[in-house]
Amino acid sequence: FEPLPGQPVDPHTCFAVGSVTKSVTATLAGMAVARGALALDEPVLRAFGLPPDPDVRKNGITVEDLLTMASGR
């Protein structure tokens, strides 16, 4: 999707974002933690206002687990 070298770029040009979204997400989460709007040890379902899941393994996954990609343990 990226333009070839020398090709013009316009508002509709697509670029690969790669893994950039991970660092942006982590930065925004860190800002929310600093403001007290989010806690790293908070279960994700509670953080997003969702009810407990029937699969109890999902209920203990924390924000930190997702940010460190450790939720599959």
Side-chain angles (χ1 to χ4, degrees):
F1 283 77
E2 292 191 36
L4 296 173
Q7 294 293 313
V9 174
D10 64 36
H12 303 288
T13 303
C14 294
F15 292 91
V17 295
S19 292
V20 173
T21 57
K22 293 175 191 164
S23 55
V24 171
T25 301
T27 299
L28 293 173
M31 292 170 68
V33 168
R35 284 194 330 264
L38 185 66
L40 292 177
D41 60 349
E42 183 174 17
V44 172
L45 294 177
R46 187 180 321 140
F48 286 98
L50 299 171
D53 195 282
D55 182 347
V56 295
R57 296 173 297 171
K58 296 178 183 177
N59 295 321
I61 297 173
T62 65
V63 173
E64 183 176 13
D65 290 334
L66 292 183
L67 290 173
T68 60
M69 294 183 257
S71 61
R73 310 185 225 168

